Each structure stands twice: as C-alpha cells, then as structure tokens.
Amino acid sequence: MPRPVALEIAVQDVAGALTASGAVDEAALAALADAAGGADLTFHRAFDVVADRGQALADLRQADVRRVLTSGGAPCAADGLAELRRLAPLATGLGVELMAGGGVRPGDVAALVAAGVDAVHLSARRAVAEAAGPGGGPAGYDVTDADVVAAAASAVTSAAARSPHRPPAGTPSPR
C-alpha cells in the first residue's frame, strides 16, 4: 500500500550561471558547487533562458546538479506547461529533478504534476499591512500563509494520487 505523500523541507543551495551565448557556464557552476560544500544544488531559473534546454539538462547532470527550477521558459510555470511536459522525460532519463516554479499557485499544481514535474516551488505568502517597524522602511511585510500552505499540500497529494507520471520529489516509494 502506498504511503502518503511526504512534504519535505530541505536545506539546499540554489545557484546557476550562464555564458554570454546562453549555455550553462560549467566552470562557474563547478565553483558554485564547490562552494556549496556538498549540499544539494538546484540550478535556478536562469535555465529558462538557455539556448538549448535539452543540452542544458545534460550539462547539469554532468555537473551533478540534483534539480532544476524552471517555468518552462514562460513568465510563470502555468504558462510553460507544454515545455515542462517536453522536458519531463528528458530530465527523468538524466536523473535530474524538474521543479516547476515561477508564479505557481495551489490551483496550478494538478496541471504541473500531470505535465510530469517532480516538484513544485511556490511562495505561500500573504502581505500584512502594518506600520513600518524599527528603522523605518516601507509599511507592511510578508508572512507565510498557512491556508496557502495547506491548499498547496492538498493539491500535491491529490495530483500525485491521480498522476500517471512518477510521484513528486519527497514522495516515499511503496514497499
């Protein structure tokens, strides 16, 4: 019997570098990976502007990058579904996690999981309008919104149960 989806919080480094021609800068990435000291490395959304995303995935695998954060080249991941769907099997074959990010809302999760992504990244925040704190600055601040977190967790669990694709990252394997 499959176990429930696990929501995982991990310490990881997010980094990335591109060459002037729009390819993964392998030398800079090696230096960043070395600086990360063995922590899982996620290549950030610079991936969305590379000239050849398929080649970039292969380059990232060679550099031992564990995952790539991407919107599929669109301003937000929900608009990049076709590209995410194209990239998912390539990433799977290379052993690189595909994490959808960029404007993700709980209502987007089912479509993203159906596209084959391993994980989703979203900002579960809401603005609090209050006077500025000590030191001044703009009024208000952001806080984590428990309702958005719960909605996202529920969406991931529901989508993973319905998806014909591999389960999202952090999902325990059935025994």
Side-chain angles (χ1 to χ4, degrees):
M1 165 187 281
R3 298 184 338 209
V5 172
L7 297 176
E8 180 179 302
I9 297 174
V11 174
Q12 59 191 8
D13 289 320
V14 178
L18 301 178
T19 64
S21 64
V24 172
D25 187 330
E26 295 176 47
L29 187 56
L32 291 166
D34 186 52
D40 285 342
L41 190 61
T42 299
F43 196 85
H44 61 53
R45 286 189 57 203
F47 179 82
D48 289 331
V49 298
V50 298
D52 180 342
R53 291 188 194 99
Q55 182 60 53
L57 282 171
D59 294 343
L60 294 174
R61 176 65 184 122
Q62 285 296 104
D64 290 326
V65 169
R66 180 172 177 195
R67 77 186 52 79
V68 61
L69 179 61
T70 179
S71 65
C76 64
D79 294 335
L81 284 172
E83 180 68 354
L84 292 169
R85 193 173 294 110
R86 183 187 79 80
L87 292 171
L90 299 174
T92 297
L94 291 166
V96 176
E97 282 184 12
L98 195 63
M99 178 184 284
V104 174
R105 301 285 178 243
D108 302 327
V109 170
L112 293 167
V113 171
V117 302
D118 298 294
V120 295
H121 170 75
L122 68 134
S123 298
R125 67 177 179 237
R126 67 179 163 82
V128 174
E130 289 185 3
Y141 53 92
D142 289 340
V143 297
T144 300
D145 186 318
D147 292 336
V148 175
V149 172
S154 177
V156 167
T157 301
S158 295
R162 292 188 314 267
S163 177
H165 299 284
R166 62 191 170 164
T171 303
S173 301
R175 293 188 187 221

